[in-house]
């Protein structure tokens, strides 16, 4: 599967007014989920989102509390403080994605490659954030926004954008995580990724529990606050490659 890339003429991040390095941008593009969420204008990435700063859908309590769409148990509600020891990894294209289909998810994998249904728990949210990022990084960003995003004007705007041409060969692998925040229906999982050129980025992935699964939230600002990091300090190491 061809790794996601951007044509330089189409990519506003390559213009001089952006101060993000080309290396970091390349990794961000490779990780996919950040691509559409980076700032549209000049300047540095915004601060990482909190619940108060993220766009979230107003949903009935019954939907927020809905059981898993594929019957996964909610399980332990404690935030993972160490590397999940039972993680198995599957290659999706060239990128390793975590899987525990009867415990954390994805409980469903479709013929089109969509990986969905994650446990209603902090670890389930972690698996959801990782798999959403990997799907987006392997050419399925549109499918993610169609099927695994909270409905909103911001999501619709992304779906109305033309798909970028793919020209870069930079790839990225998951390297670690933080559970930045979590409650019964919202979470912010920060994924650390390492590019094939050795550079590191962090990617906050805001999620909302909706209709029995975790969905990615497209922030009103257009940015989740992803950017370069110097090392994995503060992250729990987690990788399949």
């Amino acid at each position: 599967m061809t790794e996601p890339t951007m044509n330089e003429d189409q990519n506003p991040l390559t213009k001089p007014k952006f101060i993000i390095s080309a290396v970091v941008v390349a990794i961000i593009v490779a990780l996919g989920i950040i691509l559409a969420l980076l700032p549209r204008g000049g300047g540095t990435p915004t601060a990482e989102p909190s619940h108060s700063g993220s766009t979230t859908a107003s949903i009935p309590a019954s939907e927020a509390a809905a059981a898993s769409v594929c019957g996964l148990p909610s399980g332990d509600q404690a935030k993972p403080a160490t590397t999940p020891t039972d993680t198995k990894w599957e290659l999706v294209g060239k990128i390793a994605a975590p899987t525990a289909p009867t415990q954390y998810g994805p409980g469903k994998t479709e013929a089109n490659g969509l990986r969905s249904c994650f446990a209603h728990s902090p670890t389930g949210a972690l698996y959801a954030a990782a798999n959403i990022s990997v799907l987006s990084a392997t050419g399925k960003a549109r499918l993610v926004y169609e099927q695994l995003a909270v409905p909103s004007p911001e999501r619709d705007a992304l779906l109305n954008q033309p798909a970028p041409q793919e020209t870069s060969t930079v790839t990225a692998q998951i390297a670690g995580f933080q559970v930045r925040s979590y409650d019964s229906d919202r979470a912010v999982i920060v994924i650390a990724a390492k590019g094939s050129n050795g550079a590191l980025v962090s990617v906050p992935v805001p999620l909302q529990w909706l209709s029995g699964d975790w969905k990615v939230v497209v922030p009103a600002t257009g940015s989740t606050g992803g950017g370069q990091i110097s090392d994995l300090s503060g992250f729990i190491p987690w990788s399949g490659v």
Side-chain angles (χ1 to χ4, degrees), residues 6 19 23 37 48 51 62 75 78 87-88 90 92 109 121 124 132 144 163 165 177 184 205 213 224:
M6 291 191 74
I19 62 174
V23 169
L37 304 183
E48 291 176 354
H51 290 335
S62 59
T87 302
K88 294 183 179 180
E90 296 177 344
V92 178
T109 301
S121 68
I132 285 170
V144 165
Q165 295 181 9
F177 72 90
S184 62
V205 182
D213 203 0
T224 68

Side-chain angles (χ1 to χ4, degrees), residues 77-141:
Q77 294 299 301
K79 296 178 184 178
T82 59
T83 302
T85 57
D86 51 357
T87 302
K88 294 183 179 180
W89 298 82
E90 296 177 344
L91 282 178
V92 178
K94 296 180 181 179
I95 304 178
T99 180
T102 63
Q103 189 173 8
Y104 305 123
K108 297 172 63 178
T109 301
E110 307 292 347
N112 61 5
L114 186 70
R115 299 162 71 85
S116 64
C117 187
F118 297 91
H120 195 182
S121 68
T123 305
L126 168 62
Y127 274 65
N131 277 270
I132 285 170
S133 297
V134 171
L135 283 174
S136 298
T138 52
K140 298 189 181 297

Side-chain angles (χ1 to χ4, degrees), residues 2-241:
T2 302
E3 297 299 324
T5 58
M6 291 191 74
N7 182 289
E8 186 172 358
D9 291 337
Q10 293 179 318
N11 185 3
L13 298 175
T14 60
K15 295 180 180 179
K17 62 183 179 180
F18 280 90
I19 62 174
I20 305 172
S21 74
V23 169
V24 175
V25 170
I27 297 173
I28 284 174
V29 171
L31 197 56
I33 189 67
I34 325 165
L35 171 61
L37 304 183
L38 278 170
R40 300 296 191 269
T44 57
T46 59
E48 291 176 354
S50 64
H51 290 335
S52 61
S54 297
T55 299
T56 53
S58 177
I59 58 175
S62 59
E63 287 195 40
S68 163
V69 292
C70 65
L72 289 183
S74 296
D76 189 355
Q77 294 299 301
K79 296 178 184 178
T82 59
T83 302
T85 57
D86 51 357
T87 302
K88 294 183 179 180
W89 298 82
E90 296 177 344
L91 282 178
V92 178
K94 296 180 181 179
I95 304 178
T99 180
T102 63
Q103 189 173 8
Y104 305 123
K108 297 172 63 178
T109 301
E110 307 292 347
N112 61 5
L114 186 70
R115 299 162 71 85
S116 64
C117 187
F118 297 91
H120 195 182
S121 68
T123 305
L126 168 62
Y127 274 65
N131 277 270
I132 285 170
S133 297
V134 171
L135 283 174
S136 298
T138 52
K140 298 189 181 297
R142 185 172 187 84
L143 189 63
V144 165
Y145 293 123
E146 288 175 344
Q147 302 294 328
L148 298 178
V150 175
S152 69
E154 292 78 19
R155 184 205 67 161
D156 294 344
L158 291 179
L159 289 173
N160 288 330
Q161 292 180 1
Q165 295 181 9
E166 301 181 357
T167 57
S168 174
T169 59
V170 176
T171 59
Q173 298 288 343
I174 293 171
F177 72 90
Q178 297 173 353
V179 179
R180 182 57 49 84
S181 60
Y182 180 87
D183 60 31
S184 62
D185 66 347
R186 298 177 188 174
V188 177
I189 308 296
V190 186
I191 299 293
K194 184 175 183 178
S196 56
N197 47 22
L200 294 165
V201 296
S202 68
V203 189
V205 182
L207 300 168
Q208 183 169 343
W209 185 259
L210 179 65
S211 301
D213 203 0
W214 289 109
K215 309 287 188 180
V216 67
V217 177
V218 181
T221 61
S223 172
T224 68
Q228 187 174 15
I229 54 176
S230 58
D231 55 43
L232 293 175
S233 298
F235 286 86
I236 297 171
W238 194 47
S239 65
V241 176

